[in-house]
Amino acid sequence: MKVIDIINQDRVTISCEMFPPKKEKSLPNYKETAAKMAALKPAYLSCTYGATGGTSDFTVEIADEINKQGVPAIAHLTCVSSTKEKVRSVLGEYRAHNIENILALRGDIPQDADFPLPGQYHHAIELIREIREAGDFCIGGACYPEGHPESPSMDEDLRYLREKVEAGCEYLTTQMFFDNGIFYNFMFKALSIGINVPIIPGIMPITMASQVGRSASLSGSSVPAKFLRIVERFADNPEALKEAGIAYATEQIIDLVANGVRHIHIYSMNKPDVAGAIFDNLSHIYVRE
Ligand code: FAD
């Protein structure tokens, strides 16, 4: 099933994200995690591609497993460290495995890399055009409520975002944010320049103190004082912090739904227990089919 058809349903839906293993020997464990995540009945499950130093080799196998578990899969695809030939070959694999949904991304530029090398992509928009040509995929893209860290201004970032949508992005998923006000402001700005595809808020449940600095510095997301106080208060009590992180994410989602948002994406990071606890908290808000 195409993700755009899920998002356009007139009901609240929640999706989750996972990442693939780095080594082939871990593939069976990760497929087990995919099955556990699928058993929670998210509206769809996405699998990252080479994010934050991880691998891209097994995205297709995890996405295939998710589909086999009866949950629509999104396979991410980045282009920054790939040649066009490599991208075309991965698209062929996605087609061969009946993967209908792709999140098209540039990826982070590796430090000390010569970028772009001849024959490489510069921006996600080029990948989006390539995917459009390659088949009948539902294409999503990334967006940044606080602006992409490399972008000189929010206005410029939004202009390029609109170009991505015009090139064929059917929906956008946001970078994580911990203050819903930032998302609402972004929605307003995006709509005001004519970006009118669905924008899905990405919520990251922070359940370990070590995640805070790492996630915020990787994503460029600001961390509100209210959230920092929670982390400081429970830093020495991992179970309490996990409980508080789940509650904080739940509260963000409830506020989003109360303000008219219908679809939410959880950066659940291969943690079915965390995603499951959030789903349980929302059992009358997201009614799973
Ligand atoms: P782009 O859309 O290409 O934008 C990158 C920068 O270039 C921005 O500053 C933009 O304003 C600018 N720009 C865009 N188009 C142009 C243009 N035509 N000319 C000049 N400037 C332009 N990373 C991974 O490695 N694997 C993943 O699986 C992954 N999943 C992600 C999922 C989500 C929902 C999000 C939000 C991010 C994800 N990332 C992932 C991280 C992402 O790859 C990085 O944030 C990356 O730095 C930007 O990717 P992009 O697709 O947004 O790039």
Side-chain angles (χ1 to χ4, degrees):
M1 186 172 187
K2 295 240 167 87
V3 156
I4 190 66
D5 296 326
I6 297 170
I7 299 164
N8 280 336
Q9 288 171 16
D10 191 17
R11 66 188 194 99
V12 173
T13 47
I14 304 181
S15 53
C16 293
E17 183 165 301
M18 62 175 294
F19 53 86
K22 290 190 178 143
K23 298 202 169 84
E24 189 161 13
K25 67 175 194 292
S26 309
L27 201 49
N29 286 345
Y30 279 64
K31 285 189 175 178
E32 216 174 287
T33 303
K36 285 184 189 158
M37 297 289 291
L40 298 172
K41 299 200 174 164
Y44 61 80
L45 250 172
S46 70
C47 183
T48 63
Y49 186 95
T52 59
T55 185
S56 52
D57 292 347
F58 306 112
T59 299
V60 67
E61 303 201 39
I62 297 295
D64 188 41
E65 180 64 24
I66 293 166
N67 273 335
K68 283 183 181 148
Q69 296 290 332
V71 171
I74 296 184
H76 293 203
L77 178 57
T78 65
C79 55
V80 72
S81 303
S82 289
T83 60
K84 296 194 175 184
E85 287 66 37
K86 168 74 179 166
V87 162
R88 284 170 197 154
S89 123
V90 175
L91 287 174
E93 279 186 62
Y94 285 4
R95 254 196 322 267
H97 286 85
N98 295 319
I99 290 162
E100 295 180 282
N101 302 294
I102 301 180
L103 194 74
L105 302 141
R106 186 198 66 184
D108 285 323
I109 299 167
Q111 277 174 348
D112 308 322
D114 283 331
F115 173 80
L117 290 171
Q120 283 188 334
Y121 299 86
H122 296 63
H123 296 290
I125 191 167
E126 295 159 67
L127 177 63
I128 290 162
R129 291 186 180 127
E130 186 88 43
I131 300 171
R132 266 270 155 273
E133 291 291 306
D136 182 24
F137 294 105
C138 171
I139 306 173
C143 63
Y144 303 85
E146 298 181 68
H148 185 268
E150 286 165 33
S151 214
S153 73
M154 177 61 103
D155 285 349
E156 183 174 313
D157 203 26
L158 280 167
R159 277 197 300 277
Y160 288 127
L161 187 61
R162 184 174 58 199
E163 284 181 16
K164 272 201 312 199
V165 170
E166 286 163 355
C169 233
E170 292 170 71
Y171 67 93
L172 299 162
T173 303
T174 74
Q175 184 56 278
M176 68 186 81
F177 56 87
F178 301 102
D179 171 354
N180 289 0
I182 290 171
F183 175 73
Y184 300 134
N185 284 339
F186 175 72
M187 289 290 282
F188 178 76
K189 287 185 188 140
L191 265 176
S192 72
I193 67 151
I195 296 173
N196 47 23
V197 294
I199 298 183
I200 300 169
I203 298 296
M204 166 77 103
I206 296 283
T207 54
M208 289 185 295
S210 59
Q211 270 177 298
V212 181
R214 198 173 66 236
S215 299
S217 70
L218 283 173
S219 65
S221 311
S222 47
V223 183
K226 174 185 169 184
F227 188 69
L228 274 181
R229 269 196 302 277
I230 293 173
V231 176
E232 278 164 19
R233 172 67 181 81
F234 300 117
D236 297 334
N237 185 341
E239 284 309 312
L241 182 57
K242 186 171 166 186
E243 207 167 79
I246 288 167
Y248 192 93
T250 303
E251 199 180 304
Q252 272 193 287
I253 294 172
I254 291 172
D255 177 73
L256 288 164
V257 173
N259 280 286
V261 176
R262 277 206 312 264
H263 189 85
I264 289 122
H265 186 65
I266 303 179
Y267 290 111
S268 40
M269 309 286 286
N270 296 23
K271 291 181 186 148
D273 56 332
V274 172
I278 296 175
F279 278 19
D280 287 346
N281 286 344
L282 300 168
S283 61
H284 295 278
I285 293 174
Y286 172 39
V287 180
R288 291 172 270 175
E289 289 179 339

